[in-house]
């Protein structure tokens, strides 16, 4: 039997990616890894958009445009996040989020 | 009729001098500042005389009586869009009493300006003094010319402020500061009554304009009057309430019992100021106010008018009694002023409105004018004496008639005038008052005639103590500057002339309640009693104080408690202090403070404590860990999803 990927496959893949990202974001203490988890979450959303666009809204480009926007914003976010991480490293000599908890009550 | 510009310039010139000198500050302490202000006042006086001449010589006549003329009228604050709705106007009203007051105010003010050139010479805030005098004169002229009651109220307050500034002129002296505060608080407190009265009257009368107000509240068939008499509160009709409240305002400005307590203390101000404000002009504002609304009082609320008459009579008597015991010469004069204002008010109280029965009104206005002249003269003489002796106390004086001949003669004339000595100014006006009281209301007449004898006694007590009594010893100062500069002597001489001749003005030909001139004649047989009593008073004063003797001491001892209570002004000040300090501050104030501190503040503090307590409990949430925040975020999103699912909105 030939396996053709359908909408459900795509959705399964994207939710798997999303929850892997969420898990990584909550459990990792290294800021760079956390940033990578965020990228995973964003990409799972992108995948969702593409899949829905292809299977439920064929011939249209709305989902694709959303995806493009998200990629662009993700790039900007990565730039900002990495800048923050570098500064944090300069202060604490570490990128461990457990160390950076000065901003509290 | 003189042009509008001339009339407007009368109050504006003093205002100009106030603005000019007030803005120049210290640079204007040069004597020129005083000359400038005096010149402005002189122009203002000439314009007033011209206005009065034009008004009385024909412009004001309509038929056989004088009519009020609204020479300028401006709708200032309209409250409704329609033309008939409520609006506050400003305007200039000329009628016999306002024209008369113009002359009185500008002439006395001019004399005081001139006198102050010598009296205040070398004073540190010389320019400021003249600025305040200008402000006062402007406000008083504005008050006099006001065409509606609200405009009058504004000038009324301005007069109060300038009085405050001038009483407190020597602000380094704690007594002057206290006196200024006292005057301001007492009059301001009573002005609350005035304001309420204005609101009541204008609500029922439907207008703030004097002419319309009088018209709607006096004609018996008008709806406004019927409504004002029908509505009642605590047993008095709305009209009576309005008129009494307005009178309370007037009573405090005119220092009538029991609101007179500020006037004797106000003598802390410079003496020329006392002559201008606290003898001749501002303190008669209350009399003027009642005279302004006189038709309403006389026609619609005769019971209130009678109460006003009694207030005047009681003030006159009490003030005369107290004046007999005071030793500060300015305080004696202050109480004498209060007593004479009592006379004016009682004259209004016993007057009727209709032609032939309104002698009291004319007499009151006549006495107002003559009193302004001779009382200003008395104060200026007292100023000259104080200038010479450097003290207010009688004990430092005596035998000054050789050192100060001009002052002596002027003072004697003024004393004779105020005592009602025949053919001086006070004689004519006082006889008219007594005659009006005699024909209309006997009880007040007996009080008035007794007071008039007392007046002669205490005025001559003052005269003998200053100019006779004992030889003058210039012990503590040898730097004799003589009697004063000619700028101090001339006003005395001019006012002395006024004291002699002001009584011959045929006053009833100009001023009467209805505007219709009438003729008064002197009743020689009626004058015998008052003049006899006055002579008796003078003789008693001579017997006690003509020469230094032990007689006054014996008198004081034999009178005992009566003397001590009069000497301490009948304990009225103490009563006020008791009421304010013990009852208002001690009982009411204490409770109010307790409620404020414990209940109002307590509620606020409790709320703040509660919020702080909650904040302490929940602040752990803000841990500073990024992942915690992310977790909250996730939980919140899931919660929202659940909610949406729950409400079936997803």
């Amino acid at each position: 039997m030939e396996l053709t990927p359908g909408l459900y496959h795509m959705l399964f893949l994207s939710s798997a990616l999303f929850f892997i990202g969420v898990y990584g974001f909550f459990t990792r203490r290294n800021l760079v890894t956390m940033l990578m988890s965020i990228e995973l979450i964003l990409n799972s959303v992108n995948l969702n958009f593409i899949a829905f666009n292809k299977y439920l809204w064929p011939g249209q480009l709305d989902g694709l445009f959303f995806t493009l926007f998200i990629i662009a914003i993700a790039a900007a976010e990565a730039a900002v996040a990495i800048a923050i991480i570098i500064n944090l490293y300069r202060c604490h000599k570490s990128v461990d989020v457990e160390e950076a908890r000065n901003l509290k009550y | 009729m003189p042009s509008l510009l001339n009339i407007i310039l009368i109050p504006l010139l003093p205002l100009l001098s106030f603005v000019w000198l007030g803005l120049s500050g210290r640079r204007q302490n040069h004597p020129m500042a005083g000359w400038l202000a005096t010149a402005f006042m002189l122009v203002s006086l000439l314009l007033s005389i011209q206005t009065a001449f034009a008004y009385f010589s024909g412009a004001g006549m309509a038929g056989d009586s004088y009519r009020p003329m609204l020479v300028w009228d401006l709708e200032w604050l309209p409250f409704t869009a329609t033309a008939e709705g409520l609006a506050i106007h400003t305007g200039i009203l000329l009628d016999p009493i306002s024209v008369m007051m113009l002359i009185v105010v500008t002439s006395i003010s001019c004399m005081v300006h001139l006198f102050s050139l010598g009296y205040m010479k070398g004073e540190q805030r010389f320019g400021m003094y003249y600025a305040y005098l200008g402000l006062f004169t402007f406000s008083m002229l504005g008050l006099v010319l006001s065409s509606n009651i609200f405009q009058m109220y504004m000038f009324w307050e301005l007069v109060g402020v300038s009085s405050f500034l001038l009483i407190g002129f020597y602000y380094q002296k704690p007594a002057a500061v206290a006196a200024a505060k006292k005057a301001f608080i007492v009059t301001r407190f009573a002005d609350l009554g005035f304001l309420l009265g204005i609101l009541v009257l204008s609500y029922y009368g439907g207008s703030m304009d004097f002419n319309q107000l009088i018209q709607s509240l006096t004609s018996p068939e008008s709806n406004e009057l019927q409504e004002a008499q029908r509505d009642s509160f605590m047993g008095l009709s709305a009209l009576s309430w309005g008129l009494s409240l307005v009178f309370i305002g007037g009573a405090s400005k005119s220092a009538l019992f029991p609101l007179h307590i500020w006037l004797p203390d106000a003598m802390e101000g410079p003496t020329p100021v006392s002559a201008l404000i606290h003898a001749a002009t501002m303190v008669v504002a209350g009399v003027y106010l009642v005279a302004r609304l006189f038709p309403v009082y006389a026609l619609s609320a005769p019971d209130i008018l009678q109460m006003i008459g009694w207030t005047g009579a009681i003030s006159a008597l009490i003030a005369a009694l107290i004046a007999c015991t005071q030793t500060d010469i300015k305080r004696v004069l202050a109480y004498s002023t209060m007593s004479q204002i009592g006379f004016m008010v009682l004259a209004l109280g016993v007057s009727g409105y209709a032609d032939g029965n309104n002698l009291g009104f004319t007499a009151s206005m006549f006495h107002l004018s003559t009193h302004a002249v001779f009382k200003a003269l008395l104060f200026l003489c007292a100023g000259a004496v104080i200038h010479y002796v450097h003290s207010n106390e009688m004990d430092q004086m005596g035998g000054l008639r050789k050192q100060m001949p001009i002052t002596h003669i002027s003072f004697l004339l003024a004393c004779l005038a105020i005592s009602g000595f025949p053919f001086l100014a006070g004689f004519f006006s006082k006889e008219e008052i007594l005659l009006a009281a005699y024909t209309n209301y006997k009880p007040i007449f007996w009080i008035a005639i007794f007071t008039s004898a007392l007046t002669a006694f205490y005025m001559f007590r003052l005269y003998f103590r200053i100019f006779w009594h004992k030889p003058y010893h210039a012990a503590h100062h040898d730097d004799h500057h003589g009697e004063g500069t000619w700028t101090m002597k001339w006003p005395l001489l001019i006012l002395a002339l006024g004291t002699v001749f002001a009584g011959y003005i045929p006053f009833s030909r100009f001023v009467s309640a209805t505007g219709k001139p009438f003729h008064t004649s002197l009743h020689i047989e009626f004058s015998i009693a008052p003049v006899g009593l006055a002579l008796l008073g003078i003789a008693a004063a001579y017997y006690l104080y003509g020469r230094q003797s032990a007689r006054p001491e014996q008198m004081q001892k034999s009178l005992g408690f009566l003397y001590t209570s009069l000497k301490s002004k009948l304990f009225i000040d103490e009563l006020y202090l008791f009421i304010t300090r013990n009852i208002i501050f001690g009982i009411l104030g204490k409770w109010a403070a307790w409620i404020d501190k414990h209940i109002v503040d307590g509620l606020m503090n409790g709320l703040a404590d509660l919020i702080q307590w909650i904040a302490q409990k929940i602040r752990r949430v803000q841990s500073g860990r990024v992942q915690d925040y992310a977790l909250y975020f996730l939980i919140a999103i899931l919660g929202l999803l659940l909610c949406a699912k729950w409400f079936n909105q997803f």
Side-chain angles (χ1 to χ4, degrees):
Chain A
M1 156 182 164
E2 196 186 351
L3 190 70
T4 45
L7 178 60
Y8 289 103
H9 299 102
M10 294 297 170
L11 290 185
F12 178 80
L13 180 61
S14 94
S15 20
L17 270 176
F18 180 80
F19 283 109
I20 291 167
V22 169
Y23 177 77
F25 187 76
F26 282 118
T27 53
R28 293 288 146 175
R29 282 182 295 180
N30 188 323
L31 267 172
V32 180
T33 329
M34 285 170 72
L35 184 62
M36 286 156 66
S37 308
I38 292 173
E39 296 298 323
L40 276 186
I41 295 171
L42 286 171
N43 281 324
S44 81
V45 175
N46 283 346
L47 205 53
N48 242 355
F49 271 117
I50 299 282
F52 281 125
N53 197 37
K54 179 171 167 60
Y55 291 102
L56 299 183
W57 206 245
Q60 305 292 325
L61 291 170
D62 303 18
L64 291 180
F65 280 129
F66 255 111
T67 310
L68 281 174
F69 272 113
I70 290 171
I71 289 170
I73 288 167
E77 177 239 314
V80 173
I82 287 168
I84 291 174
I85 291 168
I86 289 170
N87 272 313
L88 197 70
Y89 182 75
R90 284 191 184 149
C91 286
H92 289 83
K93 301 287 169 221
S94 142
V95 287
D96 190 334
V97 279
E98 297 280 312
E99 306 277 316
R101 41 194 285 200
N102 303 9
L103 284 174
K104 61 178 179 181
Y105 47 86
Chain B
M1 199 60 218
S3 71
L4 179 60
L5 180 71
N6 286 8
I7 301 172
I8 287 187
L9 270 181
I10 297 171
L12 282 192
L13 281 172
L15 179 67
L16 188 65
S17 99
F18 162 66
V19 171
W20 188 346
L21 297 176
L23 290 182
S24 331
R26 277 155 203 269
R27 273 169 293 158
Q28 278 296 358
N29 285 340
H30 195 264
M32 273 318 288
W35 281 109
L36 184 89
T38 311
F40 276 17
M41 260 335 289
L42 191 65
V43 175
S44 195
L45 170 64
L46 294 176
L47 288 174
S48 308
I49 291 172
Q50 188 211 5
T51 306
F53 188 74
Y55 182 85
F56 284 125
S57 70
M61 265 295 195
D64 59 348
S65 57
Y66 292 106
R67 68 194 158 90
M69 284 174 64
L70 203 56
V71 291
W72 182 59
D73 186 37
L74 177 79
E75 192 179 76
W76 179 45
L77 288 175
F79 289 116
T80 47
T82 53
E84 293 82 40
L86 183 64
I88 295 178
H89 289 242
T90 53
I92 289 181
L93 179 70
L94 287 189
D95 71 348
I97 55 172
S98 73
V99 172
M100 170 206 89
M101 283 295 281
L102 271 189
I103 299 282
V104 170
V105 174
T106 47
S107 55
I108 302 295
S109 181
C110 197
M111 291 303 117
V112 166
H113 272 72
L114 192 60
F115 184 83
S116 302
L117 285 172
Y119 188 83
M120 300 297 283
K121 197 169 64 186
E123 205 56 60
Q124 211 165 29
R125 293 159 73 227
F126 185 76
M128 223 47 206
Y129 172 81
Y130 272 96
Y132 290 159
L133 278 189
L135 175 65
F136 170 76
T137 311
F138 159 71
S139 330
M140 192 66 210
L141 291 169
L143 191 156
V144 163
L145 290 172
S146 293
S147 70
N148 74 69
I149 197 164
F150 191 80
Q151 186 188 353
M152 192 180 204
Y153 181 68
M154 293 192 305
F155 283 111
W156 190 273
E157 293 301 336
L158 268 177
V159 172
V161 168
S162 33
S163 159
F164 167 80
L165 291 171
L166 282 165
I167 297 171
F169 184 73
Y170 297 121
Y171 61 83
Q172 301 89 342
K173 264 167 60 184
V177 174
K181 253 194 322 202
K182 186 172 178 182
F184 195 72
I185 291 170
V186 172
T187 53
R188 198 43 256 196
F189 176 72
D191 288 349
L192 180 66
F194 188 18
L195 182 60
L196 291 176
I198 290 174
L199 295 179
V200 172
L201 284 188
S202 56
Y203 175 76
Y204 282 101
S207 169
M208 299 222 176
D209 194 76
F210 280 122
N211 291 336
Q212 284 173 30
L213 206 58
I214 288 170
Q215 205 167 27
S216 65
L217 289 181
T218 51
S219 56
E221 63 271 10
S222 82
N223 292 332
E224 285 94 344
L225 178 63
Q226 282 164 9
E227 201 180 331
Q229 281 175 335
R230 200 175 50 237
D231 290 358
S232 70
F233 176 65
M234 284 166 61
L236 267 181
S237 73
L239 184 71
S240 303
W241 270 108
L243 290 173
S244 339
L245 285 168
V246 165
F247 178 65
I248 289 176
S252 81
K253 268 279 186 289
S254 286
L256 295 177
F257 178 80
L259 292 166
H260 64 275
I261 50 162
W262 63 273
L263 186 63
D265 289 16
M267 297 299 131
E268 291 293 337
T271 311
V273 166
S274 309
L276 176 62
I277 301 185
H278 306 118
T281 55
M282 188 190 82
V283 287
V284 297
V287 184
Y288 181 76
L289 178 65
V290 177
R292 182 45 84 222
L293 289 171
F294 188 69
V296 187
Y297 280 105
L299 293 176
S300 307
D303 46 336
I304 300 296
L305 192 63
Q306 194 170 40
M307 181 205 80
I308 290 175
W310 274 109
T311 313
I314 292 168
S315 310
L317 179 63
I318 287 180
L321 284 171
I322 297 176
C324 296
T325 60
Q326 299 299 307
T327 53
D328 179 326
I329 62 168
K330 282 183 75 183
R331 274 177 194 258
V332 174
L333 289 178
Y335 278 109
S336 141
T337 306
M338 180 184 156
S339 174
Q340 298 304 308
I341 291 167
F343 265 96
M344 296 168 209
V345 171
L346 80 85
L348 285 176
V350 297
S351 175
Y353 180 71
D355 287 322
N357 191 25
N358 57 14
L359 178 65
F361 182 86
T362 306
S364 173
M365 292 298 113
F366 193 14
H367 197 55
L368 193 159
S369 319
T370 54
H371 171 257
V373 175
F374 58 68
K375 186 49 69 65
L377 175 58
L378 283 171
F379 265 107
L380 292 186
C381 287
V385 169
I386 291 168
H387 192 65
Y388 188 81
V389 183
H390 297 289
S391 166
N392 281 8
E393 284 300 317
M394 280 179 185
D395 295 337
Q396 312 279 334
M397 300 164 190
L400 280 170
R401 65 186 182 283
K402 299 224 174 55
Q403 279 84 354
M404 315 182 75
I406 292 176
T407 315
H408 169 234
I409 293 296
S410 321
F411 200 88
L412 178 61
L413 278 173
C415 278
L416 286 171
I418 197 174
S419 312
F421 194 79
F423 313 118
L424 292 173
F427 169 70
F428 297 97
S429 51
K430 200 173 260 184
E431 290 312 290
E432 277 186 13
I433 289 180
L434 291 173
L435 187 60
Y438 183 75
T439 42
N440 280 9
Y441 198 52
K442 290 282 190 323
I444 285 187
F445 168 73
W446 296 117
I447 297 180
I449 198 162
F450 176 65
T451 310
S452 125
L454 270 182
T455 308
F457 172 72
Y458 70 72
M459 284 318 296
F460 273 86
R461 167 178 177 260
L462 186 64
Y463 166 73
F464 287 126
R465 288 294 302 260
I466 297 177
F467 294 104
W468 296 72
H469 201 57
K470 58 187 179 193
Y472 182 68
H473 298 292
H476 33 268
H477 71 300
D478 296 312
D479 53 326
H480 265 300
H481 42 52
E483 201 175 348
T485 57
W486 67 267
T487 50
M488 287 168 73
K489 285 178 201 155
W490 273 106
L492 298 185
L493 290 173
I494 296 168
L495 286 172
L497 275 182
T499 305
V500 175
F501 293 111
Y504 295 99
I505 298 169
F507 216 74
S508 58
R509 296 215 176 277
F510 301 127
V511 176
S512 73
T514 50
K516 188 174 176 178
F518 61 99
H519 183 70
T520 48
S521 53
L522 202 59
H523 301 275
I524 296 290
E525 68 284 357
F526 179 77
S527 307
I528 294 172
V531 171
L533 282 171
L535 289 175
L536 206 63
I538 296 174
Y542 181 74
Y543 174 73
L544 287 172
Y545 301 104
R547 264 180 228 99
Q548 210 164 8
S549 70
R551 287 172 198 148
E553 295 276 330
Q554 289 159 2
M555 267 302 265
Q556 286 168 19
K557 287 224 179 66
S558 62
L559 284 172
F561 179 69
L562 187 65
Y563 176 79
T564 42
S565 59
L566 283 175
K567 173 98 178 150
S568 43
K569 305 156 208 161
L570 291 177
F571 305 110
I572 295 167
D573 277 302
E574 281 75 9
L575 182 70
Y576 270 90
L577 272 183
F578 176 77
I579 289 173
T580 47
R581 204 166 279 168
N582 293 21
I583 295 180
I584 296 178
F585 294 163
I587 298 173
L588 297 174
K590 208 182 241 172
W591 277 98
W594 189 88
I595 287 174
D596 185 54
K597 200 180 260 172
H598 291 95
I599 295 183
V600 179
D601 285 5
L603 210 64
M604 286 301 120
N605 289 341
L607 201 64
D609 285 346
L610 180 73
I611 288 169
Q612 200 173 19
W613 180 79
I614 294 174
Q616 285 286 355
K617 293 289 166 202
I618 62 169
R619 70 176 191 176
R620 303 260 152 219
V621 171
Q622 217 165 24
S623 62
R625 287 200 207 100
V626 181
Q627 281 157 326
D628 286 354
Y629 300 149
L631 194 61
Y632 305 148
F633 187 72
L634 186 71
I635 291 169
I637 290 284
L638 291 178
L640 278 177
L641 282 178
L642 276 179
C643 281
K645 188 77 187 154
W646 184 266
F647 291 114
N648 222 350
Q649 298 283 313
F650 197 53

